[in-house]
Each structure stands twice: as structure tokens, then as C-alpha cells.
Amino acid sequence: MTANKANIHLPQPAKIVRAEWLTANKQKKLFELRLENGRELGYLPGQFVEVSVFGIGEAPISITSSPTSKGSFELAVRAVGNVTNALIKLEKSDTLGIRGPFGNGYPIPSLLGRDILIVAGGTGLFPLRSLIHYLLDNRKSFGRIIIFFGAKNPSTRVFLSELAQWQSRNDIEYLETVDQCDEHWTGTTGVITCLFPEVIIEPAKTTAILVGPPAMYKFAIVEAKKKGIADEQIILSLERRMKCGIGKCGHCQINDIYVCRDGPVFSYAQIKHLEEGI
Amino acid sequence: MAGKIISKSNWGQFVNSLIRQSGEVFGVKPKDTKYDFGKLSNSNELCLDYDVTLLPPKKYFLPPYDKLVTFSRNRADNTAFTTEPSIEDTRRVIIGVHPYDIKGLTTLDAVFATTDPPDTNYTARRQNTIIIGINCLNPSPTAFAASIDCHTVNSGFDLMLTDIGAGYTITIGTTAGEQLLNKYAITSDATPTELAEAAHLIQASADKYQTALAIPLTEIPALLEQHYENPVWQELGNKCLSCGSCVMVCPTCFCYDVQDKTSPSLTNVERYRSWDACVLTDYALIASGENFRPDAISRLKHRYYCKGKYMLARYGQPGCVGCGRCVTACLPDIASPAATYNKIIEGQVK
């Protein structure tokens, strides 16, 4: 038995310092975490961590906080699989195992000075929230910030106070829609692509950043292209079953690309030719 | 090339010395009508005149069950736990590895050792293991290593033997191998005649392969690039049982699954990895229910593209070394890279 400090398989214990439900039906939860070794996680918007729940297993979860806020980091989780269903039952002062951060993250330097169109479909807001916070904390370094958010229905909307804040700010153009409305909903109803005609952009200056389910990509990419945005400036984040996070286990392979190492953030130009890409 | 020679009786003594004094020693042993690598307790168990083993020596570096981490509940505070790495890396000698399997290990090295970040467990085992190879003079009928230049190797071994009848000629690959010989073996310098005999036997062995890939392996990526829509994928995929046998016996397949196993007391969890296979149904399934390769056709096609194209593109190493094990293991007989690529080359898809 040999102990090795740089062991790539070894999770670091992290304490949950805050846990709060994001939706009334208790299917989505926000966790604020601190590594027990006292170190900063050290990450970029768009990166993810492998999260271990004691006795259950490990799953890749995107980081939802921005590296501009120090001392702790946040994960937002939707209960879908074994690990996330166990994870959302945890509370403040419980412990998680963390490996990472992994993945490339958003290409921040190439976004400087540009107009940013963010398209967040459902849970896609979780990784994008990291980027949005980062952009807002460095607001002067970027051009227009346009945010599209689409939820299935009003009850699945998350981070409500933040959404309201973005809506009220003059330096953000915030538009949202729900697929299905209820009797209280006064906003737009329709799939997220219905928001594209609502804004006029300067395509040469704009980078579109999309995160959502595979079905959203199919249609949102078409809309972004219709706006005249180049394939290189359409950025998206792919979901795969990233078991190791370090380019070994093979589960996230798309042709010769490993989503966990080469991504999860790609430009549409990088992946449009790949079979099984989108 | 300078080399040593060892008589067969001295060879037996050398192996016995290794078993007594050099950690765990594994070698090729008969298993029913076939052969497999197993732990040696005496040199007379060793069988070096074999065609192919059931499983490649990969299992000593990437074991089918590989414990990675232990989680322990903190007794005073049941919300907390600690994590401990686990690496089984006993000093080992593996005897009788054929050149194609050494090439297979070179491919695994590219994935686990030389591509960042290195895999802690794999590299520890690799560093602690001596490889004694032997040239394959009587290849398996399903093997095609010679046609893809995997029937001989110049590196990747500590010692390499060739059976010339009266004894084994030995090529020294590393100082570790040389030290082992100096310490435990009675050898002499091989004569030019003996070395010529070994070279002749190796050359002659190339002609004994009954199967061949029709074009060089390096031309396969360009070929596959042109054949994403070839009907062969449908034809073979429709016969595929998605059983994973082809992957389980492969010396270069490395994909793995990770699972956690909880102790009955619920206080300890063992995380382990085990061999996984891209041809299995739920391999590319994600939590939301989306499966990126939902049918046998797309999965089998992925295997062929990974072997023939993606591995070379990503790691510069072949995803196939021509051992022929998958050909033998596959019940519907659709797993042979040589046969399938040849089929595409010949355009003989029916």
C-alpha cells in the first residue's frame, strides 16, 4: 500500500456550509462547500467536479459559483441519477468527496470586449450561472450581456431572486420564457428559441454561449446561425457520463475527443463534424 | 546485435531463483487446451511454446477489480469521513509475454502513463514489474500481428527470449533486466550462429500467420474516414450480441467503470474500477436517460473506429495489435479487425 499525494482517484472531503432547496418540489438543491484541507478549489467558470456521496458513488457536477467569490464554491444539483438523488438529501455540515476541478471551462480571454448572448435551457443555467457571475463581477471587460433563460414551467425556475435582479439591471438584457405556463404566469410562453427574434445583435461582435439539453442545441444552434453568429463563436457545453474526469475511463468519448478533458466546453465549429456530437 | 544465451536447464533454475527471491512471478501456464498467465510456484509450470493466452497480461496492470479508494466514516461525527488511496503494487516479474502483448502495454502506457495526468495505480504497477518477453514462433490461427508490424518489438521489455531449441537467446532491454540475469542466471554470450538462428526463426514466424490486414495499419484512419456510411456496420452490428467479450480479451482496451461497495457495517466504502466495454448497452447512457450510442450498430462501429482511427489520432499508438483474441472470443464471428477492415478495402459487403 503506497500513499501518493497526487493520487488522481482520491477525493478530498468538503463540508457543506449551506444547503437550500431551489424549487418547491425539492428536486433541485444548492450546496455551498468548503474543502476540509482549507484550500481554494481554484477553478474557471464552466469547469466541473466529481462529487462523491458516501456509500453511493461519484458523479460529475458543474460548478455554479464564480471563482470571483473566494473561500467556498457552490454546486447546484438536480435529482436525476443514483448519486444526485442521494446528494439532495444531504444537509448543512454533511461531508462530500470532491475531485477536480476538471474540464476546460469557458474561454474567458477570447470573450473579453465581446457581446455575450447566453442561452440557458433548464438546468443549463447551473453551469452558466458561474459564467454570468464572473461576467457581472468583471462587467466593464465585456460588451452587451444578453441572457435567455427557458424553463419547462414556472415551478421549475431556479435562483428566483437572481433572475429578478438580472431583469432589473440596466446593463443586462434579460429575457425568459417557459414551455408551459400556469395561471399566474404573465411572461413569455414558448420554447427558448422564441426569444431569439426579440433581440437585435451585431453578429460579428457576439459570442453565443449555450447550455441545455441535447434537443435545445439542435434548435438553438440554428437560431444562433440565423442571427449570423459564426460557428466558432457558438459555444456549448456537452453532457456525457464522465466517470473519471481525467480522460481515462472512456465513457465521455465522442470519436477521438474526450469531453472531460477536451471539453466540456466546445465551439460548434469544433464538434459539428463529429458523429454523435450533438 | 549482442545477446546472451541460456540453456534450458539453466533457464529453469533462473526462473526458480526469481520465484524464490524476486517477489511475485507470473508466467504462461497451460489451462485445459489453452494457455493463460498465472502465478508460478515452480519453473516446470511455465510453458513458453504457446500461441496465445486467454487473457493478455493487461490484467496485472489494470486488474479486472482494482481498488482505488477507501472511505471511512468518522466514528465521532457521522456526517464526516476520510479517504485513503489504495494501490496494490507488489514487485512482480511476468515471464513469456509475446511481442504483440508488449505493444499492447505500450498502448496502455500512452493512455495511463504518458498522457497527463498519469494514473497513479497503473504507473506504480508498471514501475514495479519486470517484463520477460519471448518471440512468438507459432502464432495462433486467428492472429494477424505480422501484417501490422506487432510480431516483433525493439523495446517495452526488460529481457526478450527466442527459443532456438537448445536454449533461449536473450536480448537485454533494460539494466533492470540485465541485473536480474547477472544476479540469478548462468548465461554466456550468444555466438553469431545462435543469433543468426534466432533472427531466422523470428523472420520465419512472420510467414506462419494465417490472417493479414491487407493495408498498413497507418492507412486505416484514412480508410475509415471514407466509410462512416458503409453497410458493413449495419451488417455486423445486427449480429452483435453486445456481450463485451471482444473488449474483455483485448490487450489495448482500457475503458473502465467505477463503483462503490459499502461494508455491511455501513462505516467503510470501497471504491473500485472494473473493466467496462463500449459495446455494452448502457455504456454511453447519461443520467437524464439519453444514450448516445443506443444500438449495437453504433456501439460496434465505435469499437472499430476507436481501434483503427481514434487511438492512433489521440495517442499515436495502435488500438489493435493483431493478437486475434477477439476473433476467438466472438460468438457471431464479427469482431476481427483484420477481417472487417479487409472487407471494407475489398468492397465485398453483401
Side-chain angles (χ1 to χ4, degrees):
Chain A
M1 198 91 113
T2 319
N4 189 325
K5 276 177 195 152
N7 191 305
I8 57 169
H9 305 295
L10 188 69
Q12 296 300 322
K15 228 11 156 202
I16 299 173
V17 293
R18 186 168 55 97
E20 57 190 57
W21 293 108
L22 290 170
T23 53
N25 67 356
K26 300 193 172 180
Q27 287 300 296
K28 296 176 189 170
K29 201 169 188 178
L30 178 72
F31 297 100
E32 184 183 344
L33 293 154
R34 262 191 208 123
L35 291 176
E36 284 187 0
N37 61 20
R39 292 202 193 125
E40 288 282 341
L41 182 62
Y43 61 97
L44 293 167
Q47 285 194 298
F48 66 96
V49 285
E50 291 281 350
V51 180
S52 289
V53 178
F54 186 89
I56 305 294
E58 196 176 45
I61 309 277
S62 58
I63 303 164
T64 193
S65 54
S66 161
T68 42
S69 66
K70 303 283 179 201
S72 62
F73 60 99
E74 291 173 335
L75 305 175
V77 180
R78 180 166 72 111
V80 268
N82 291 341
V83 175
T84 47
N85 269 294
L87 179 51
I88 61 156
K89 296 196 178 87
L90 298 185
E91 299 290 351
K92 185 183 168 179
S93 80
D94 277 332
T95 308
L96 292 173
I98 298 290
R99 287 192 303 124
F102 297 127
N104 54 357
Y106 293 107
I108 301 283
S110 69
L111 301 178
L112 293 173
R114 293 186 63 82
D115 293 351
I116 314 289
L117 167 62
I118 286 174
V119 182
T123 315
L125 185 64
F126 293 172
L128 284 172
R129 179 175 174 262
S130 174
L131 179 68
I132 293 168
H133 282 199
Y134 186 92
L135 298 178
L136 296 179
D137 288 341
N138 298 278
R139 184 64 192 89
K140 291 202 179 95
S141 305
F142 303 94
R144 288 167 70 190
I145 297 177
I146 308 163
I147 301 173
F148 292 173
F149 174 52
K152 253 192 198 126
N153 53 60
S155 70
T156 61
R157 294 167 75 240
V158 288
F159 297 114
L160 301 183
S161 61
E162 284 179 41
L163 300 185
Q165 233 175 49
W166 299 343
Q167 184 122 48
S168 65
R169 274 176 77 145
N170 297 327
D171 57 352
I172 306 173
E173 296 154 72
Y174 175 80
L175 285 86
E176 72 169 309
T177 182
V178 293
D179 295 355
Q180 299 148 340
C181 61
D182 58 19
E183 62 269 32
H184 308 295
W185 183 252
T186 55
T188 311
T189 303
V191 292
I192 198 162
T193 44
C194 76
L195 299 174
F196 280 83
E198 304 291 315
V199 293
I200 293 163
I201 61 153
E202 289 180 67
K205 282 177 65 182
T206 306
T207 303
I209 304 179
L210 288 52
V211 185
M216 185 195 95
Y217 288 139
K218 286 198 181 94
F219 298 101
I221 288 167
V222 173
E223 293 299 322
K225 285 171 72 81
K226 266 198 238 165
K227 288 274 179 198
I229 302 172
D231 290 350
E232 291 75 18
Q233 295 301 334
I234 300 174
I235 310 277
L236 33 92
S237 183
L238 297 184
E239 184 178 359
R240 287 295 185 278
R241 191 186 186 187
M242 296 173 282
K243 289 220 151 195
C244 70
I246 45 176
K248 311 288 183 206
C249 83
H251 283 269
C252 68
Q253 205 178 343
I254 307 174
N255 297 11
D256 59 344
I257 279 178
Y258 279 62
V259 175
C260 72
R261 289 289 283 176
D262 308 328
V265 176
F266 297 94
S267 73
Y268 181 55
Q270 279 177 298
I271 55 164
K272 63 179 176 184
H273 63 283
L274 295 181
E275 284 214 327
E276 308 163 9
I278 294 172
Chain B
M1 191 176 20
K4 297 279 179 187
I5 183 138
I6 188 166
S7 72
K8 293 212 167 161
S9 62
N10 282 340
W11 165 257
Q13 283 178 20
F14 170 58
V15 172
N16 283 332
S17 304
L18 292 179
I19 292 169
R20 278 196 305 273
Q21 303 181 51
S22 201
E24 293 182 323
V25 179
F26 298 86
V28 180
K29 297 156 82 168
K31 190 169 185 178
D32 299 326
T33 58
K34 299 193 170 12
Y35 305 93
D36 206 9
F37 283 97
K39 194 167 179 177
L40 297 177
S41 54
N42 191 289
S43 68
N44 59 20
E45 296 169 342
L46 189 64
C47 178
L48 289 180
D49 182 16
Y50 72 100
D51 53 358
V52 68
T53 54
L54 290 167
L55 287 180
K58 174 178 83 177
K59 62 183 180 180
Y60 297 117
F61 305 97
L62 194 64
Y65 184 100
D66 191 7
K67 190 171 150 189
L68 301 176
V69 178
T70 308
F71 296 73
S72 309
R73 267 281 183 233
N74 185 331
R75 284 184 189 280
D77 170 10
N78 74 357
T79 62
F81 60 82
T82 54
T83 55
E84 269 293 312
S86 167
I87 304 172
E88 189 55 61
D89 61 350
T90 325
R91 281 184 60 216
R92 285 169 170 169
V93 179
I94 303 176
I95 302 174
V97 184
H98 277 167
Y100 51 77
D101 277 338
I102 289 173
K103 291 258 187 186
L105 289 174
T106 308
T107 293
L108 295 182
D109 285 348
V111 178
F112 289 105
T114 54
T115 300
D116 266 347
D119 185 281
T120 337
N121 296 42
Y122 178 90
T123 47
R125 293 187 189 109
R126 199 74 170 95
Q127 282 158 11
N128 282 338
T129 306
I130 296 273
I131 302 276
I132 302 180
I134 184 160
N135 281 303
C136 175
L137 303 182
N138 295 299
S140 140
T142 62
F144 52 95
S147 64
I148 56 174
D149 201 24
C150 288
H151 67 308
T152 57
V153 277
N154 298 318
S155 61
F157 54 83
D158 295 282
L159 298 170
M160 175 58 81
L161 313 179
T162 307
D163 187 346
I164 60 162
Y168 299 106
T169 61
I170 306 176
T171 306
I172 293 165
T174 63
T175 47
E178 189 174 20
Q179 283 165 2
L180 222 52
L181 276 189
N182 291 342
K183 207 165 168 186
Y184 299 119
I186 299 164
T187 61
S188 50
D189 290 337
T191 65
T193 320
E194 287 161 343
L195 291 175
E197 172 66 3
H200 167 73
L201 288 168
I202 294 165
Q203 194 157 19
S205 76
D207 298 330
K208 293 186 187 172
Y209 285 86
Q210 295 168 33
T211 311
L213 182 66
I215 59 174
L217 196 66
T218 47
E219 291 176 21
I220 295 294
L223 175 82
L224 291 178
E225 186 67 45
Q226 302 303 315
H227 287 276
Y228 281 109
E229 305 305 328
N230 194 301
V232 73
W233 309 125
Q234 194 137 11
E235 183 200 314
L236 302 182
N238 282 334
K239 293 182 194 165
C240 180
L241 305 173
S242 298
C243 68
S245 300
C246 54
V247 172
M248 294 299 119
V249 299
C250 180
T252 67
C253 277
F254 56 84
C255 291
Y256 61 82
D257 188 27
V258 182
Q259 297 287 338
D260 284 12
K261 199 170 72 178
T262 310
S263 69
S265 66
L266 308 180
T267 53
N268 293 294
V269 175
E270 188 171 303
R271 172 164 298 163
Y272 64 95
R273 63 176 160 194
S274 54
W275 294 350
D276 206 346
C278 59
V279 294
L280 298 178
T281 317
D282 60 357
Y283 181 83
L285 184 72
I286 61 172
S288 64
E290 185 110 6
N291 191 335
F292 293 94
R293 287 189 287 275
D295 53 273
I297 297 166
S298 61
R299 291 193 295 270
L300 186 68
K301 182 176 169 184
H302 175 81
R303 170 182 173 265
Y304 276 119
Y305 272 78
C306 190
K307 300 230 151 288
K309 187 171 190 287
Y310 307 153
M311 288 298 292
L312 278 169
R314 190 163 184 98
Y315 298 107
Q317 295 293 335
C320 175
V321 293
C323 70
R325 289 184 180 97
C326 56
V327 189
T328 314
C330 180
L331 287 176
D333 194 18
I334 51 162
S336 168
T340 300
Y341 299 146
N342 285 349
K343 218 171 186 179
I344 295 171
I345 295 161
E346 293 156 14
Q348 286 178 343
V349 182
K350 290 186 191 101

